[in-house]
Amino acid sequence: AQVSMPGMTIQVRQALEPGEETKLVINWDTSNISQQVEGAVRIKLNDPARSKIFLSLSGTVFRPVDVLPYPLVMLSSFEGEQTTRVLELVNNQESPLLISRLEPQGDAFVAEVVPVQEGQRYELRVTVKESTPVGRYEQFLVVHTNSTKRPKLGVQVRILVKPEVHVAPDSVEFGKLSLTALKTEGLAELLTQTLTLHRKSGTMSITSVSSNISGLAIEVTPEGPAEVIRVDVHLDPKQVQAGPLDGNILIETDDENFPALEIPVSGIVTD
């Protein structure tokens, strides 16, 4: 017998006599899962008429206190801007849930709890601080409760603070490519990497785009001023050579505060 999810085990007699019946018991340890779950069991038999049996299992697992939709907050904002995400704390116990305090482990955000149904449901609001500098942050929040089963609720807080002009993604990665495969008709276009240049407010123009990597083809849309500009990057099979793709793309703009942006490029082309 085989199971599809961690924590699932099976209890069943391995051999049955003709006409005999037995129970198949499936145990599922739910200590590390919550909310909607699905699993499957496959049983192989030596019966020539039916060699396999598939069983599907589904259900909902409630923890004493659930953090919904999941204990993770992802925040993206421009520098000097506040952005808020809201999670829900749901009490599945008979006794009322009280939030005693919030413990931010990091200084890039603030958090507050707002009662929706006192003792049963709360909103957990996480907000990026206006003073947080440009960068990426991996931080954590601990919610302290009166629950004996879940006295502490942990929430991951991932934050991206962008400058007024921001490129996403911030790098181009081609991975490992075959030069022979690249020459297959249409494949180079399928491997196109797309960058998006965002401006917080107002418009800007790209005045020039260049790269120190030979065989890199770059297209900009639109050519004129815009708040969002698309940059498509692909390898020209007629010019690219075998070897590492190690360099950058230089984007020059008409913005006096962001006149040039460098985008790292990585990958390798084999013979």
Side-chain angles (χ1 to χ4, degrees):
Q2 297 175 319
V3 297
S4 67
M5 297 291 289
M8 294 175 65
T9 58
I10 297 173
Q11 295 175 342
V12 64
R13 284 176 54 192
Q14 191 168 358
L16 296 179
E17 297 297 326
E20 191 177 6
E21 296 181 357
T22 190
K23 289 184 178 180
L24 169 68
V25 179
I26 302 172
N27 295 302
W28 197 345
D29 180 1
T30 60
S31 58
N32 292 315
I33 55 177
S34 64
Q35 296 305 301
Q36 300 297 320
V37 294
E38 294 183 354
V41 174
R42 182 173 70 171
I43 301 170
K44 296 181 180 180
L45 309 173
N46 69 343
D47 187 340
R50 189 175 184 183
S51 60
K52 295 178 183 178
I53 295 176
F54 291 93
L55 302 174
S56 61
L57 299 90
S58 63
T60 305
V61 179
F62 297 100
R63 293 188 174 188
V65 182
D66 277 320
V67 182
L68 302 178
Y70 32 78
L72 169 65
V73 174
M74 301 183 71
L75 292 151
S76 175
S77 68
F78 285 98
E79 186 178 16
E81 187 178 68
Q82 283 190 332
T83 304
T84 300
R85 293 290 179 270
V86 179
L87 300 180
E88 189 173 16
L89 308 179
V90 179
N91 180 25
N92 299 312
Q93 307 165 111
E94 293 184 0
S95 58
L97 176 71
L98 300 178
I99 310 299
S100 56
R101 67 187 178 95
L102 301 178
E103 182 188 350
Q105 296 182 355
D107 57 2
F109 69 95
V110 294
E112 64 173 335
V113 169
V114 178
V116 176
Q117 181 183 354
E118 193 69 53
Q120 293 300 122
R121 307 176 80 90
Y122 298 87
E123 282 189 351
L124 176 61
R125 300 178 179 177
V126 181
T127 303
V128 179
K129 290 181 180 179
E130 290 183 8
S131 58
T132 302
V134 170
R136 293 182 182 271
Y137 302 85
E138 293 277 348
Q139 300 189 350
F140 203 72
L141 172 66
V142 180
V143 181
H144 294 265
T145 80
N146 67 334
S147 171
T148 56
K149 294 182 178 179
R150 295 205 72 184
K152 296 180 181 180
L153 307 173
V155 178
Q156 295 182 63
V157 181
R158 298 177 183 173
I159 297 171
L160 171 62
V161 178
K162 303 171 290 188
E164 185 177 347
V165 174
H166 172 67
V167 180
D170 55 9
S171 64
V172 174
E173 299 178 5
F174 284 104
K176 188 175 183 179
L177 304 169
S178 163
L179 188 58
T180 303
L182 279 173
K183 293 180 180 180
T184 303
E185 184 176 355
L187 182 59
E189 285 71 21
L190 290 175
L191 297 174
T192 297
Q193 306 287 310
T194 298
L195 305 173
T196 307
L197 188 66
H198 295 263
R199 184 178 174 82
K200 181 180 178 182
S201 59
T203 62
M204 66 185 303
S205 297
I206 292 180
T207 56
S208 71
V209 181
S210 59
S211 176
N212 56 2
I213 300 176
S214 61
L216 211 60
I218 305 171
E219 298 176 2
V220 175
T221 310
E223 296 182 356
E227 288 187 8
V228 179
I229 300 174
R230 172 172 169 162
V231 180
D232 290 323
V233 184
H234 68 269
L235 296 170
D236 185 343
K238 296 179 180 180
Q239 297 185 32
V240 70
Q241 299 177 355
L245 300 171
D246 186 13
N248 60 69
I249 297 170
L250 178 64
I251 301 175
E252 296 184 83
T253 78
D254 61 355
D255 188 302
E256 60 182 16
N257 295 319
F258 298 90
L261 303 166
E262 284 194 3
I263 313 300
V265 179
S266 63
I268 186 168
V269 177
T270 61
D271 291 327

